[in-house]
Structures are given as C-alpha cells and as structure tokens.
Amino acid sequence: MTVNGAGFVNGARVQFNASSRATTFVSTTQITAAILASDIATPGTANVIVTNPVPTTGPSTPQVFTVSSSDNLVPMLSGLSTTHAPGGAAFTLTVNGTNFETKSVVNFNGKPQATTFVSATQLLAAIPASEVAVVGNMNVTVTNPAPGGGTSAPSRFTVDGYTINGPPEASLSPGEPAVIQITATPTANGFPYAISFSVSGLPVGSTASFNPAMLTPSGNATPTTLTITDGTSAVSRRTQTSTQLANDC
C-alpha cells in the first residue's frame, strides 16, 4: 500500500486497523506498507493511520480503507457456452460463474486470454486459432488478481479434430494403378469442416488423384480413394500417409 501525505520521517509506521505493518520510508510525502492477505480476508472497512517515531507528534488522522467482496473471493465456474469446438478456427468463449470482477482473466489450457468483463457472473474470452491447433482436452479457469482472489477449479474443453488412416505401403507397376483407401475419422464430437487432400513425393512420371478430393467427416468415418498411376517403370513405393498426405481444414 502506498500512503501519500506530509510530514513523514524515517521510521514512520503504518497501522492497518490498529495493527502495525512493515513500512518503507520513501520521502516526507510518501511511505509504503506491506499489507497482509489476512488484513483483507473479510469484506468491510479498516482505518489506516501513520505514526512518526518519538519525539515527533502523531498519529495522523485515520483514513478509511474498504475491502470489497470481490477483493477476496475466488472465482467459481458454473458452465461454458460450449464445451468443444473444431480445431483451427478462432472463436469467442462465454464463461459463466460467480465472483468475477473487472480484472478477471480467463485461462485457456493454462494461458491467459484476452478477457471482456460482462458482469459478476459472465466473462467473454477471445480464443485464438493457435490455442486450438492441437486436438485434445484443455482446461478453462478464471483468475482474480491479488490481493485476495485466486484461480477457479477447471472446466474441461475439448478441441475436436480427426485422424487419417490408410495402408502403410502400396505397390505400383506400369499400367497397373495402385488404389488406396484412406479414411478420415472424426474425434468423439465430430468434425464439421471440409478436408482437402493432396499427395507429394511421387516417382517421376507418376500421377495421383483422390475421389473425392474433399470430404467432410462430420460424425462418421469417411473414406476417399487415392489412385496412383505410373507410366514409366515398375516401382514399389512405401507411402507414409501421416507425412505425405497434406490436408487443409
């Protein structure tokens, strides 16, 4: 706590509600005091006075300090506007609960996000695309600043996605195309966005096509067929679908 006034001397002490606190002399017009968490644990008012050491006169006229309820309460979550979303796109998350304040911050997967205070029971958080680039479960919490305050218990949020599966290898001969089925399997909540396919690293003279070239798995495992044709010489190629198949969502 910074206390401003006049006539302060080295050795002046701040008393917070009649209890002396560690005090640092800054100048004759300013001192600082270390206020304990226990001093503001209960909402109410406290008298703040300054006393100079003898033989100077004192104490000062009391100043009233107010401890509001939001200064010492840990936020609590009651629900999220959605508990899952497809990865790869930014979105706004509504967080509902109690004990929110103007400086409350929403944390997504442990990282503070840009937060808009709506009321003591609602916050809005801007979640960037980079935070939902990886499929999986994330924790959402709210933190109220010190003194007092704290971080809420977490609520789980799931980033939806999909996996791509296919055979580990395929044989290719002149005039005999390799036909490979590749399946996009959504995670538990589905994936509503379109996935496009392409292939790279083919032998010289080979061509490839997907049918369909784009699919939307939604809530079901959905296949596409990759056909590779080599017009030159017989070769046998190992295809690594996890690295050679590029997809855009």
Side-chain angles (χ1 to χ4, degrees):
M1 172 186 288
T2 299
V3 181
N4 299 306
F8 300 151
V9 300
N10 195 10
R13 298 284 290 186
V14 170
Q15 290 190 348
F16 189 90
N17 228 16
S19 296
S20 182
R21 293 292 173 250
T23 305
T24 301
F25 176 78
V26 179
S27 69
T28 58
T29 60
Q30 188 177 90
I31 55 178
T32 62
I35 305 303
L36 306 179
S38 57
D39 291 333
I40 56 172
T42 304
T45 60
N47 285 331
V48 177
I49 64 173
V50 176
T51 302
N52 283 336
V54 294
T56 54
T57 58
S60 67
T61 302
Q63 298 293 311
V64 177
F65 182 90
T66 301
V67 181
S68 64
S69 60
S70 62
D71 287 333
N72 72 316
L73 293 179
V74 176
M76 299 179 63
L77 305 189
S78 61
L80 307 175
S81 56
T82 179
T83 58
H84 66 94
F91 67 100
T92 298
L93 179 66
T94 301
V95 180
N96 299 307
T98 55
N99 302 334
F100 299 156
E101 57 177 272
T102 55
K103 294 184 179 180
S104 295
V105 175
V106 174
N107 309 295
F108 189 85
N109 204 29
K111 298 179 182 178
Q113 306 300 326
T115 304
T116 300
F117 175 80
V118 178
S119 69
T121 59
Q122 190 173 88
L123 302 170
L124 301 178
I127 310 300
S130 59
E131 294 301 321
V132 290
V134 178
V135 175
N137 294 323
M138 314 293 176
N139 282 332
V140 176
T141 60
V142 172
T143 299
N144 283 351
T151 299
S152 70
S155 287
R156 192 174 77 169
F157 185 94
T158 301
V159 179
D160 300 329
Y162 59 90
T163 58
I164 298 295
N165 298 291
E169 62 182 30
S171 297
L172 184 63
S173 301
E176 298 180 7
V179 180
I180 306 166
Q181 180 170 293
I182 298 170
T183 302
T185 303
T187 50
N189 295 307
F191 191 81
Y193 296 156
I195 305 169
S196 61
F197 295 86
S198 64
V199 64
S200 61
L202 293 173
V204 175
S206 300
T207 60
S209 63
F210 289 90
N211 183 27
M214 183 178 293
L215 58 83
T216 302
S218 296
N220 302 303
T222 307
T224 183
T225 300
L226 168 62
T227 301
I228 304 175
T229 303
D230 181 41
T232 55
S233 59
V235 296
S236 178
R237 302 288 294 182
R238 176 177 294 272
T239 62
Q240 298 177 342
T241 57
S242 62
T243 58
Q244 292 183 356
L245 294 178
N247 52 76
D248 300 316
C249 58

